[in-house]
Amino acid sequence: MTNIAIVTGGGRGIGRASALKLAAAGYTVVVNYTANEAAAKDTVSAIAAQGGKAVAIKGDVSQEADILALFTAAEKLGTLKVLVNNAGVMDHQNRLDEMSTERIRRILDINLFGSILCAREAVKRMSTKHGGQGGAIVNLSSAAAYHGAPGLGVEYGASKGAIDVLTIGLGREVAAEGVRVNAVRPGIIDTEIHDSSGIPGRVKMMRDAIPMKREGTAEEVADAILWLCSDQSSYVTGSIIPVAGGRC
Ligand code: NAP
C-alpha cells in the first residue's frame, strides 16, 4: 500500500523540512507549491536523493478548485494518510488601521480558508465514516495566535488563532473516526517568511525575547510535525504543541 502525505507549501521552509522527514518515514509525499516551482522541484529531488518518493503539484490553497485538483491528484497515487496544512503567509509590518481589505482577505484566504478546505478534503478521504482508513492532520499555528502580533500583523495573528480553534474543534469532531487533528505552534523559526515583514534581520532581532536565546530551525518544527503524524502520538488529538524555545 502506498501511503500519501500532502504537505501544502512543501517546497520551502518548514514545509520542505516536513516533506523530507515524512518521505524518510516512508510516505510518498505530495509537495504542493504555488509560485516557487524551482524550490518544490528541488525538494522532490532531495527526497529522491535520500531514497524516497515525492511529486510536486502546483496549487494555490486560497482557491477551492486548486485544492480539489490537488486532492484528486494525490488520491491517484495511493491512500491519503497525512495532511500537513503548512502553506502560510504574512505581510509587511502594519497596524490594522493601515491595512487594505485586499491584504486582510489574502492572509485569511491562504492561512485559514485554505487550511479549512484542505482539512475538509482530507477528512472526506481519511475518516472511517467515509470508508477511509484514518490518518493525521497537522495544522501550522503560530505564537501569534496568543500574543496577537500587535503592530506587526493582527490579521495574521487572528488567522492563526482560528487555526487553533479549528484544531480543537475538528480534532473532537473526528476523534472517533480514526482521524487525529493537531497543530504545532512555532515561535521564531529561521525561514524566508520573515522577509515579508519588511523588518531587516527580524529573526536575529528577536533572539533576546526567546528564553533559549536563539531562533528555531525548520527541522526542529518538522520533528514535532513528524511525531504528530506517527503512531507514537496515537492518543494525541486536538492538541497544540508549542515549538518555540520557551517563548510560548
Ligand atoms: P516560508 O518559508 O515563507 O514558506 C511558505 C510556504 O507556503 C512556501 O512553500 C509557499 O509556496 C507556500 N505558500 C504560500 N502561499 C501559498 C498558497 N497560496 N498556496 C500554496 N502554498 C502557498 O514559510 P515558513 O516559515 O516555512 O512557514 C510555514 C508555516 O509555518 C506557515 O503557515 C507560517 O505561518 C507558520 N509559522 C512560521 C513561523 C516562522 O517563524 N517561520 C512561525 C510561526 C508559524 P511557494 O514556495 O510556491 O511560494
Side-chain angles (χ1 to χ4, degrees), residues 8-16 32-37 39-40 59-63 85-90 106 109-111 115 140-144 156 159-160 184-194 196 202-203 218 221:
T8 65
R12 294 188 288 123
I14 294 167
R16 175 187 164 95
N32 157 255
Y33 68 99
T34 187
N36 198 332
E37 184 179 12
D60 179 345
V61 297
S62 70
Q63 303 299 317
N85 253 331
N86 167 78
V89 288
M90 57 190 297
R106 173 176 168 266
D109 277 354
I110 295 172
N111 295 2
S115 295
L140 267 291
S141 178
S142 167
Y156 175 84
S159 76
K160 294 299 183 179
V184 289
R185 187 186 268 170
I188 300 290
I189 310 301
D190 190 16
T191 71
E192 291 167 352
I193 202 170
H194 299 283
S196 31
R202 175 164 191 261
V203 170
V221 181

Side-chain angles (χ1 to χ4, degrees), residues 113-195:
F113 177 82
S115 295
I116 292 179
L117 254 57
C118 285
R120 181 189 72 187
E121 293 310 307
V123 168
K124 283 183 186 174
R125 287 157 178 87
M126 293 173 178
S127 166
T128 52
K129 177 173 176 275
H130 298 293
Q133 298 173 19
I137 298 173
V138 180
N139 297 320
L140 267 291
S141 178
S142 167
Y146 82 91
H147 65 59
L152 180 67
V154 294
E155 91 294 22
Y156 175 84
S159 76
K160 294 299 183 179
I163 287 291
D164 286 1
V165 178
L166 168 71
T167 302
I168 294 164
L170 185 61
R172 291 175 179 174
E173 191 167 286
V174 297
E177 299 167 21
V179 185
R180 295 184 300 105
V181 185
N182 293 290
V184 289
R185 187 186 268 170
I188 300 290
I189 310 301
D190 190 16
T191 71
E192 291 167 352
I193 202 170
H194 299 283
D195 299 347

Side-chain angles (χ1 to χ4, degrees), residues 7-22:
V7 181
T8 65
R12 294 188 288 123
I14 294 167
R16 175 187 164 95
S18 303
L20 282 158
K21 286 181 190 288
L22 285 162

